[in-house]
Amino acid sequence: MTSLDRRSVLRAAASAAAAGALVTGCDPHRDEDSGPVRTAAGPSPAGAGRDRQAPAHVARPPTRAPGLPVQIEHGPRNRRAVALTFHGAGDPRLATALLGEAERAGARITVLAVGSWLDDQPAMARRILDGGHELGNHTLHHRNVCALPAAEAYAEIIGCADRLRRLTGTIGSWFRPSQTRRATDQVAALARRAGYPHVLSYDLDSLDATDPGAPAVQRTVLEAVGPGSIVSLHLGHAGTVAALPPILDGLRRRGLRAVTTTELVT
């Protein structure tokens, strides 16, 4: 993306955020089954034409962190690092712009992808990995997984895992349950059955899914973040794209690095 294109994307993101643009997020009051935003015909996201058999980065298998609980909410408080974790859905142009901002700042993020989004945007899996980021599972349809019967909940977990395996060769580094901060014991057990030793939670919610605008997202994160924080954010939200550069600047000023969740906890 050229500097002119980057400025255009960020201006559009800021304008959409100011207008309160609504894009798919983790808000449990939204209809997640309506699927990701579909874009008009145009250039494919970065990485769409790359050879999937020769990736720049290899997908990691599920992370094992001996000594940590099954449900991980934060990393070590004595490390000068944080993990920015993103619900993976929404407009691929916004997702690509956000990944570019992270990479320009030398940051690495964790994306928990919705399986139906990967069905519509399969190139995004490789784009995420080729940027040095981490990819995981956020269920197949983003239903309220903890409210489902066991068989349906397992189908949500394994359905996304199957798509990740097909696109990247592994089921992804992490599982995060949809429409909830913490998994029930049943869902945690089903995730282990699917191959995920841990459930990835978080200790800081940016509230960006409510589209409060970039300044509010920036303020919410920087007022509460600290060493070891795992922050919940979302791809597909214009305000989040616009907020990411000042968030990363604020982390740097505090001596904090944005790393993948696996790097944070292992």
Side-chain angles (χ1 to χ4, degrees):
M1 182 182 291
T2 67
S3 59
L4 178 60
D5 291 337
R6 178 191 174 208
R7 288 196 298 271
S8 297
V9 169
L10 287 176
R11 281 198 300 270
S15 297
L22 297 180
V23 193
T24 301
C26 252
D27 187 339
H29 300 296
R30 293 187 183 171
D31 182 6
E32 290 291 347
D33 292 335
S34 61
V37 173
R38 300 176 187 270
T39 62
S44 297
R50 296 177 185 171
D51 181 2
R52 290 180 186 165
Q53 301 306 312
H57 293 82
V58 177
R60 295 182 58 93
T63 298
R64 295 182 182 276
L68 292 187
V70 169
Q71 200 141 207
I72 295 176
E73 295 185 345
H74 61 82
R77 298 302 192 186
N78 60 352
R79 295 185 186 176
R80 303 301 297 178
V82 302
L84 304 181
T85 66
F86 291 79
H87 164 115
D91 188 331
R93 295 170 297 187
L94 290 174
T96 300
L98 186 142
L99 293 169
E101 290 300 328
E103 290 151 19
R104 272 182 283 277
R108 297 294 177 260
I109 66 174
T110 300
V111 177
L112 293 310
V114 177
S116 57
W117 183 62
L118 294 176
D119 285 341
D120 285 349
Q121 308 294 339
M124 287 306 304
R126 184 51 56 195
R127 172 63 186 88
I128 291 162
L129 295 174
D130 283 356
H133 310 292
E134 190 167 47
L135 188 59
N137 179 332
H138 198 38
T139 73
L140 181 56
H141 296 110
H142 203 273
R143 301 170 66 190
N144 185 354
V145 68
C146 289
L148 296 174
E152 292 183 36
Y154 185 69
E156 283 290 311
I157 298 169
I158 202 68
C160 185
D162 287 344
R163 282 149 177 82
L164 288 166
R165 183 187 291 108
R166 184 173 66 246
L167 291 169
T168 72
T170 82
I171 64 172
S173 300
W174 300 97
F175 167 72
R176 171 171 287 170
S178 46
Q179 296 197 38
T180 184
R181 187 168 188 154
R182 290 182 57 85
T184 60
D185 289 344
Q186 173 178 272
V187 167
L190 293 172
R192 288 195 300 273
R193 176 181 164 195
Y196 300 97
H198 301 281
V199 171
L200 183 58
S201 184
Y202 50 89
D203 63 339
L204 201 172
D205 187 350
S206 71
L207 303 177
D208 64 338
T210 63
D211 293 306
V217 175
Q218 175 188 346
R219 184 169 56 252
T220 298
V221 173
L222 292 180
E223 286 181 354
V225 73
S229 289
I230 297 177
V231 186
S232 172
L233 295 138
H234 293 71
L235 301 183
H237 287 253
T240 307
V241 179
L244 186 61
I247 287 173
L248 294 174
D249 286 342
L251 294 177
R252 278 194 298 272
R253 287 194 297 271
R254 299 172 189 205
L256 297 172
R257 297 180 300 121
V259 301
T260 65
T261 307
T262 294
E263 185 178 351
L264 179 69
V265 303
T266 59

